[in-house]
Amino acid sequence: MYQSLGELCRKAEEEKKSFWEVVQADDCRERQIPEKTSFAQMKAMYLAMKEADASYDPKLYSRSGLTGRDGGKMQRYVDREETICGPFLGRVMEKALKMGESNACMKRIVAAPTAGACGVVPAVLLAMQETAGYSDEEMTQALYVAAGIGGVIASRAFISGAQGGCQAEVGSASSMAAGAAAFLRGADASAIAHGAAMAMKNLLGLVCDPVAGLVEVPCVKRNVAGAVVALAAADMALAGIRSKIPPDEVIDAMRSVGQDMPVCVRETGEGGLAATPSGERMKDYLTQG
Amino acid sequence: MNILDIIGPVMVGPSSSHTAGAARIGQVALKLLGEEVRSAKIRLHGSFLATGKGHGTDRALVAGLLGLSVDDRRIPDSFWLAKERGMDFEISGITLADAHPNSVKLEVMSESGRKLELVAASIGGGRIRICEIDGLRADFSAEAPTVVVFNQDRPGCIVKVTSRLGSAGVNIATMQVYRDERGGHAVMVIEVDQQLPEGCIGRLEQEEGIEKVIYLCME
Ligand code: SF4
């Protein structure tokens, strides 16, 4: 995997290739597989995301009882055409909630990059496909873009809440989704990288503070934030706006912020929302029951 | 790590470490035992114990022991499935010394009485490390094809194994050697680049000083 978005962009320019093609070529080289195999595997991931979205069960609650049914609520609200954000963003939020809840309810999802943040990338991509009618092949290319960005983040920094807080999970997912969304709208490699950087910048410092240590509260709803920020960042990039701090330096900043984060807000469930009186009460209730 | 660790795996939620990793540990234990699991003692350590129930770690481990993979929709129903297939299991807590927070100790037994003891950790993103086999230290991921050789701790064993592998055209990627005490039991953990040819294990087992050979290939 590439260790630098700058290098990835240079490669795309030098070889006159699209961002996704550079990521794919690197994958084929690393795993010693033909392009066709790599593409089929990535496409299977996209189709699995689609399937996971379609098999959301609006009646389910998680085993802890902390999450469930919000995706259905959001869907009904969007159907009534009352959202402040309009129908498209409404669908994005609905899908993010649904995927996060499906994960909490032990349904099948695609980790992207993690299970906790699994709603961000599909919420953005599936909603864009539904409204604009992109083919599954184009969506697979977009997923390569997301994977390439995530790969750089994983190499330069980290993608787990335990190592770097939620900025490393939902922040990374948002960054990946932003690049993928910009790509679908025709952004070049540099605009993709800047879209990714602007999403990450907007979520820098986000802590990981799950109530009772479970991937439920606040994780499910944070997927909404990740998806909405991704789209805003993609729009900025498409408007020609560039991150003043270069993309690779933004990722490095995420790493150093993560390293400086106290352990109580790195997935231990001991700080932040988990340490609120209500969070503690939920935890006590769950450990007794 | 490759891009399918970034987008992927396809898995049953909610946690790649507490659910997917746990299922994988169960699967590896089943493969290492080499026969269907009849009974299992599952001892959860650290965060596996503290948040395992809410994350379905217990169900995922049982599912893995039944051979279910990390994306199998039946993971949440694995307790019921175990009952149907006649697999007994018992889950409790344990404190393991110097262990990763997401660790578990498994004691499994097959119908024919074959036994295996395993300590493993889920280290994030659904990836795992096997830390102990039958009381002997080890450290491998089960991602590459792996040969585990139990042998008497005496001169010549290692060269016998490596030359056998070499003449079978199998390249060694990494190799670790552990033992309990000088001249006692030892274990070699060998990660290899190629899959082992048929019959290779049997020939290894016939070598003097070799007690047991397990071949692990998760693909
Ligand atoms: S709060 Fe922690 S566990 Fe939840 S999604 Fe964010 S990083 Fe993952």
Side-chain angles (χ1 to χ4, degrees):
Chain A
M1 293 188 299
Y2 276 88
Q3 291 186 4
S4 148
L5 283 175
E7 197 192 318
L8 214 161
C9 290
R10 260 196 307 285
K11 188 97 177 164
E13 207 170 294
E14 269 167 34
E15 300 189 352
K16 307 238 174 317
K17 275 186 178 168
S18 171
F19 192 99
W20 80 269
E21 289 171 308
V22 177
V23 177
Q24 187 195 39
D26 182 53
D27 182 44
C28 294
R29 187 191 51 75
E30 242 175 42
R31 296 196 291 140
Q32 297 283 310
I33 51 169
E35 277 175 13
K36 238 173 59 196
T37 313
S38 170
F39 198 87
Q41 288 173 344
M42 194 55 88
K43 187 172 170 188
M45 292 297 150
Y46 186 69
L47 297 179
M49 286 178 175
K50 242 190 196 177
E51 197 192 311
D53 176 61
S55 57
Y56 172 73
D57 182 345
K59 291 186 295 295
L60 269 191
Y61 279 109
S62 64
R63 257 171 110 193
S64 70
L66 289 178
T67 31
R69 304 205 168 184
D70 287 345
K73 263 183 214 155
M74 196 67 195
Q75 181 173 4
R76 287 190 296 279
Y77 174 64
V78 177
D79 286 344
R80 290 199 301 272
E81 296 182 5
E82 290 170 0
T83 55
I84 301 170
C85 296
F88 173 71
L89 265 192
R91 284 292 167 232
V92 170
M93 295 189 275
E94 170 199 324
K95 287 183 189 303
L97 288 170
K98 283 180 168 178
M99 198 66 83
E101 286 186 338
S102 289
N103 179 54
C105 297
M106 295 190 83
K107 302 224 6 170
R108 185 152 76 185
I109 55 92
V110 183
T114 61
C118 70
V120 177
V121 172
V124 167
L125 293 188
L126 294 171
M128 284 184 79
Q129 186 181 33
E130 279 173 21
T131 28
Y134 300 108
S135 68
D136 284 345
E137 283 66 35
E138 286 168 293
M139 300 314 291
T140 306
Q141 295 173 2
L143 215 45
Y144 269 109
V145 173
I149 295 164
V152 172
I153 300 172
S155 317
R156 282 186 100 85
F158 22 57
I159 50 169
S160 79
Q163 282 173 290
C166 202
Q167 54 164 9
E169 290 202 13
V170 167
S172 300
S174 185
S175 191
M176 291 155 60
F183 161 78
L184 282 172
R185 287 297 205 90
D188 65 10
S190 152
I192 289 171
H194 279 264
M198 287 188 277
M200 178 65 87
K201 281 162 82 175
N202 277 291
L203 291 163
L204 219 54
L206 193 62
V207 297
C208 171
D209 48 357
V211 168
L214 301 177
V215 190
E216 300 196 43
V217 180
C219 316
V220 171
K221 298 184 187 93
R222 271 197 192 146
N223 278 276
V224 174
V228 172
V229 165
L231 287 160
D235 261 338
M236 283 196 275
L238 289 162
I241 300 169
R242 293 293 172 262
S243 171
K244 289 282 187 286
I245 309 293
D248 286 327
E249 291 183 35
V250 171
I251 298 171
D252 293 346
M254 192 275 271
R255 187 193 60 225
S256 70
V257 169
Q259 282 167 342
D260 288 344
M261 237 177 228
V263 174
C264 68
V265 284
R266 279 196 271 145
E267 216 179 273
T268 49
E270 285 164 359
L273 294 168
T276 56
S278 300
E280 296 279 11
R281 230 177 295 126
M282 289 176 214
K283 181 182 170 181
D284 290 344
Y285 176 75
L286 288 171
T287 38
Q288 279 156 21
Chain B
M1 213 178 188
N2 61 61
I3 54 171
L4 291 179
D5 295 312
I6 305 289
I7 301 291
V10 180
M11 57 168 273
V12 166
S15 161
S16 47
S17 55
H18 287 67
T19 322
R24 224 179 124 71
I25 290 173
Q27 261 188 312
V28 169
L30 170 67
K31 284 260 176 168
L32 285 169
L33 186 67
E35 288 173 9
E36 256 181 58
V37 179
R38 268 289 143 260
S39 71
K41 287 192 180 128
I42 301 173
R43 309 255 178 265
L44 302 169
H45 164 90
S47 167
F48 261 17
L49 181 63
T51 67
K53 211 166 182 181
H55 280 132
T57 306
D58 44 4
R59 284 162 202 260
L61 280 163
V62 168
L65 289 172
L66 290 166
L68 270 51
S69 57
V70 299
D71 66 342
D72 197 306
R73 288 207 176 81
R74 294 169 297 175
I75 289 179
D77 307 319
S78 67
F79 286 3
W80 178 82
L81 201 67
K83 204 168 169 196
E84 205 182 53
R85 294 210 199 147
M87 182 182 105
D88 290 327
F89 62 90
E90 180 204 309
I91 300 172
S92 59
I94 192 172
T95 304
L96 300 164
D98 301 322
H100 184 283
N102 298 329
S103 290
V104 60
K105 181 170 182 178
L106 293 173
E107 290 170 49
V108 293
M109 199 167 96
S110 73
E111 185 78 69
S112 71
R114 251 181 127 148
K115 281 184 191 169
L116 178 88
E117 222 184 88
L118 189 80
V119 176
S122 176
I123 58 168
R127 306 168 84 203
I128 63 167
R129 299 302 297 177
I130 308 299
C131 314
E132 225 183 275
I133 297 183
D134 286 343
L136 289 173
R137 224 180 82 196
D139 180 24
F140 63 100
S141 69
E143 279 163 29
T146 307
V147 190
V148 185
V149 181
F150 294 84
N151 60 289
Q152 289 160 14
D153 184 20
R154 61 179 201 213
C157 283
I158 293 175
V159 71
K160 277 181 200 156
V161 173
T162 54
S163 65
R164 271 263 177 240
L165 290 177
S167 55
V170 176
N171 189 44
I172 295 176
T174 71
M175 177 163 182
Q176 307 151 28
V177 184
Y178 304 98
R179 63 178 180 184
D180 50 3
E181 61 195 45
R182 185 176 295 198
H185 295 277
V187 60
M188 286 176 236
V189 177
I190 309 165
E191 291 179 310
V192 292
D193 288 336
Q194 290 83 18
Q195 300 209 6
L196 246 56
E198 199 96 15
C200 192
I201 310 274
R203 280 193 292 279
L204 276 176
E205 268 178 335
Q206 276 154 26
E207 294 281 3
E208 220 188 295
I210 308 289
E211 290 162 351
K212 184 164 96 171
V213 181
I214 301 174
Y215 176 51
L216 187 70
C217 183
M218 299 302 288
E219 270 160 36

